[in-house]
């Protein structure tokens, strides 16, 4: 258990943890179990959930279900990823285990392209979120036509090629929608 002075000692830390649990859940999560796991009272958790629900609303996301029956995160995958990138990336992915060979492929591509530092950092974040979400069964699915037009951009070829190399290394075929998602910061 983490001490109360750790991530669970601050509301933001608890919100990030709750969101992380919800975004990874395959079945409804009971509040009593979550409160026990976090070593906080049920009242604190209910209050944190209320605030988290408010934070999620502008992203088109919601927490559905009853506290006694279990709760799930509800919304489009693209919106979940946007929330992660804008609100809690560091908390959820700062220690994400990434194979050294994959890390090197990404580093070499960013270095070769000479991205502006900020663009390179955002690209890495998008790529990490995409791989985690896709590899755990959370597919982005069909996008609107405007997104598919991005594949005509000359820079898309490089992203497509990098993700194909990573996919080959991981023995996975990433669909074009996942590649488009990674192309967004560029």
């Amino acid at each position: 258990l983490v001490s109360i002075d750790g991530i669970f000692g601050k509301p933001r830390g608890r919100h990030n943890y709750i969101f992380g649990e919800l975004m990874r859940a395959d079945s409804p999560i009971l509040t009593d179990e979550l409160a026990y796991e976090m070593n906080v009272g049920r009242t604190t958790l209910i209050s944190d959930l209320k605030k988290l629900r408010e934070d999620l609303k502008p992203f088109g996301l919601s927490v559905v279900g009853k506290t006694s029956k279990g709760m799930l995160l509800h919304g489009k995958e693209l919106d979940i990823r946007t929330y992660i990138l804008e609100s809690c990336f560091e908390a959820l992915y700062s220690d994400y285990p990434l194979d050294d060979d994959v890390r090197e492929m990404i580093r070499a591509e960013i270095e070769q392209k000479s991205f502006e530092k900020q663009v390179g950092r955002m690209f890495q974040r998008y790529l990490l979120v995409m791989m985690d979400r896709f590899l755990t069964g959370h597919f982005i699915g069909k996008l609107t036509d405007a997104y598919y037009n991005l594949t005509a951009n000359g820079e898309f070829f490089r992203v497509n090629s990098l993700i194909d190399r990573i996919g080959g290394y991981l023995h996975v075929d990433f669909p074009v929608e996942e590649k488009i998602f990674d192309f967004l910061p560029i």
Side-chain angles (χ1 to χ4, degrees), residues 28-184:
I29 297 176
L30 295 171
T31 50
D32 288 342
E33 289 175 9
L34 197 52
Y36 178 78
E37 209 175 284
M38 295 169 60
N39 199 25
V40 297
R42 193 172 190 279
T43 308
T44 300
L45 182 64
I46 299 298
S47 173
D48 287 338
L49 272 168
K50 183 178 181 202
K51 176 68 174 111
L52 179 62
R53 282 182 166 113
E54 291 169 19
D55 292 348
L56 294 173
K57 210 174 280 186
F59 292 87
L61 302 174
S62 60
V63 178
V64 295
K66 298 198 186 298
T67 55
S68 59
K69 301 259 190 242
M71 304 164 304
L72 285 169
L73 181 63
H74 184 70
K76 295 178 184 161
E77 180 62 23
L78 183 59
D79 296 333
I80 292 170
R81 293 180 188 192
T82 301
Y83 181 81
I84 292 167
L85 290 159
E86 291 185 17
S87 301
C88 55
F89 178 84
E90 287 298 326
L92 299 178
Y93 288 93
S94 63
D95 59 353
Y96 187 81
L98 189 60
D99 188 280
D100 288 339
D101 291 338
V102 172
R103 194 178 305 279
E104 179 54 29
M105 283 185 236
I106 297 166
R107 188 205 57 73
E109 184 66 30
I110 289 172
E111 198 173 272
Q112 182 182 11
K113 182 60 187 125
S114 333
F115 285 129
E116 204 177 285
K117 205 172 198 172
Q118 184 64 18
V119 173
R121 190 171 19 253
M122 286 306 295
F123 176 70
Q124 286 179 316
R125 287 177 169 210
Y126 274 68
L127 190 56
L128 199 59
V129 170
M130 180 280 288
M131 287 191 305
D132 176 58
R133 298 294 292 163
F134 183 80
L135 295 173
T136 57
H138 301 94
F139 312 119
I140 205 159
K142 185 96 172 97
L143 299 169
T144 60
D145 291 342
Y147 285 106
Y148 292 97
N149 293 338
L150 293 172
T151 61
N153 184 305
E155 294 292 320
F156 183 78
F157 174 77
R158 296 180 70 105
V159 169
N160 187 52
S161 176
L162 171 64
I163 295 172
D164 282 347
R165 286 195 315 274
I166 292 170
Y169 179 80
L170 299 173
H171 307 292
V172 174
D173 284 325
F174 292 107
V176 69
E177 291 82 3
E178 300 296 342
K179 295 171 183 178
I180 291 169
F181 174 77
D182 288 328
F183 186 66
L184 293 177

